[in-house]
Amino acid sequence: MASRKEGSGGAGSSFGASKGKGKAAATGDSAVKQVQIDGLVVLKIIKHYQEEGQGNEVVQGVLLGLVVDDRLEITNCFPFPQHTEDDADFDEVQYQMEMMRSLRHVNIDHLHVGWYQSTYYGSFVTRALLDSQFSYQHAIEESVVLIYDPIKTAQGSLSLKAYRLTPKLMEVCKEKDFSPEALKKANIAYENMFEEVPIVIKNSYLINVMLWELEKKSAVADRHELLSLASSNHLGKSLQLLMDRVDEMSQDIVKYNTYLRNVSKQQQQKHQYQQRRQQENIQRQSRGEAPLPEEDINKLFKPPQPPPRMESLLIAGRHLE
């Protein structure tokens, strides 16, 4: 499902790129320092997961809004429809364009400003999310990805965070070079791959009055449920996922150690070849023969390819919540 949504993200972002950048040029500042979300958008995201999300199933959708100075205002959204690979007649790009066209006809903000995705116990840092957000952010500089955690929300505290790729990671993704040397040169670690943008949820005055009335009517005992320590089920699942990440990291370390052994073995072979070559030239010179011509040793011994480091960085960046 992640790969399918990744393609949707890239296609959708290209549709709204010109208008998103035009708005940024009009404001004179493309940096996003705050994300303002309408309360209705939050309810739509929660409803989308409740209707279509099951267990670790991920739901995703499009965020619509506009950029005002250094603030990104998200005023509407719509979900990516659920369909299987057998639905060959379904065109996701056409679906997004029709949705935006319909919203424009009823005078609703229709500019593409990002996308949202649910997460399962905080395991949202994946290569699919990285590629999708790069596609959005490359086309629409101010775009963000909203991560909604239904597990934490079900425990009584709304978990909704906005992320963007850091400028360093954007440059690395543009070059498409994820080798250890490139990541080291760019000083990329899992701590500086994503930057979190503060979120402010905005409601109308009437909704604020209604929430205030509901809060006054709520029982005091219900509020104490947030302090409940009965979290063994969630703790067990979190530890299981953490163990899975540790296993993946261990496999990545094994691959890297194998690469180091291959490099060391090749260096020894090069050294032995050079010694044999040198001894043979000494023998030829003693017989009055011309020495052997110089050869490019790198062509004879092709260096082993280092394992990509991006996957290990993504694994290290999971479950940091």
Side-chain angles (χ1 to χ4, degrees):
M1 178 177 179
S3 59
R4 179 178 67 83
K5 298 307 184 186
E6 176 185 345
S8 303
S13 61
S14 62
F15 177 76
S18 60
K19 297 193 175 184
K21 289 196 173 183
K23 185 65 178 178
T27 59
D29 186 9
S30 62
V32 175
K33 299 180 180 179
Q34 186 185 74
V35 175
Q36 177 179 296
I37 310 175
D38 284 5
L40 180 61
V41 175
V42 178
L43 293 178
K44 284 184 176 181
I45 295 175
I46 296 175
K47 182 181 178 183
H48 182 198
Y49 178 82
Q50 291 178 344
E51 292 179 348
E52 299 187 5
Q54 298 178 358
N56 59 353
E57 185 74 13
V58 174
V59 298
Q60 297 173 323
V62 176
L63 299 175
L64 305 174
L66 66 159
V67 180
V68 179
D69 296 331
D70 59 354
R71 183 177 69 253
L72 179 64
E73 297 184 3
I74 302 175
T75 58
N76 207 340
C77 68
F78 62 86
F80 286 124
Q82 294 279 8
H83 65 276
T84 61
E85 297 179 355
D86 297 333
D87 301 332
D89 297 335
F90 183 80
D91 189 346
E92 293 186 355
V93 178
Q94 185 65 26
Y95 166 77
Q96 294 186 52
M97 295 180 65
E98 290 179 357
M99 285 292 297
M100 293 180 183
R101 191 178 299 112
S102 300
L103 293 172
R104 183 172 65 249
H105 288 165
V106 294
N107 198 25
I108 295 179
D109 292 332
H110 60 279
L111 299 183
H112 216 148
V113 294
W115 61 298
Y116 69 85
Q117 172 182 302
S118 65
T119 180
Y120 183 70
Y121 286 98
S123 57
F124 63 91
V125 183
T126 62
R127 185 59 182 270
L129 181 136
L130 175 65
D131 294 340
S132 296
Q133 180 58 22
F134 170 74
S135 176
Y136 271 92
Q137 206 165 320
H138 181 67
I140 311 171
E141 189 177 0
E142 301 84 3
S143 63
V144 299
V145 53
L146 287 183
I147 302 297
Y148 167 65
D149 192 334
I151 306 298
K152 289 187 178 181
T153 302
Q155 295 177 346
S157 177
L158 176 63
S159 179
L160 190 67
K161 296 187 176 182
Y163 291 97
R164 289 168 48 84
L165 301 185
T166 59
K168 290 183 178 180
L169 187 57
M170 285 293 296
E171 292 297 326
V172 172
C173 291
K174 288 179 183 178
E175 298 295 333
K176 297 181 180 180
D177 184 6
F178 303 112
S179 62
E181 293 77 11
L183 295 177
K184 183 178 180 180
K185 181 180 179 181
N187 195 22
I188 295 294
Y190 68 87
E191 297 93 344
N192 55 11
M193 293 176 62
F194 294 87
E195 58 183 3
E196 184 177 351
V197 185
I199 289 180
V200 174
I201 298 178
K202 180 183 178 182
N203 293 314
S204 65
Y205 294 112
L206 292 178
I207 294 179
N208 287 330
V209 172
M210 183 189 70
L211 293 175
W212 180 258
E213 292 294 331
L214 292 175
E215 184 178 3
K216 290 194 298 183
K217 293 180 181 179
S218 63
V220 177
D222 295 337
R223 302 178 185 177
H224 293 167
E225 292 181 359
L226 298 177
L227 303 178
S228 175
L229 299 179
S231 59
S232 59
N233 185 28
H234 299 295
L235 181 60
K237 291 182 179 179
S238 297
L239 289 176
Q240 182 61 46
L241 290 173
L242 183 59
M243 291 169 61
D244 294 340
R245 300 292 85 79
V246 172
D247 291 340
E248 293 179 8
M249 183 64 71
S250 299
Q251 295 175 6
D252 192 75
I253 293 175
V254 170
K255 294 179 181 178
Y256 186 70
N257 290 335
T258 302
Y259 162 73
L260 292 180
R261 286 196 298 268
N262 292 335
V263 171
S264 177
K265 183 179 179 181
Q266 190 180 76
Q267 291 295 334
Q268 294 178 0
Q269 293 175 350
K270 287 183 179 179
H271 183 67
Q272 292 174 0
Y273 175 81
Q274 289 174 342
Q275 284 184 337
R276 290 196 305 267
R277 191 85 169 178
Q278 185 177 7
Q279 292 176 359
E280 188 174 355
N281 282 333
I282 293 175
Q283 293 176 0
R284 292 176 65 90
Q285 289 178 358
S286 64
R287 296 193 300 264
E289 299 177 359
L292 295 174
E294 294 291 337
E295 294 182 355
D296 189 356
I297 194 171
N298 291 325
K299 292 183 179 179
L300 297 175
F301 298 92
K302 188 176 181 181
Q305 291 295 327
R309 293 288 294 162
M310 181 56 67
E311 294 299 331
S312 60
L313 290 177
L314 294 174
I315 295 173
R318 296 176 191 172
H319 302 287
L320 297 177
E321 298 291 325

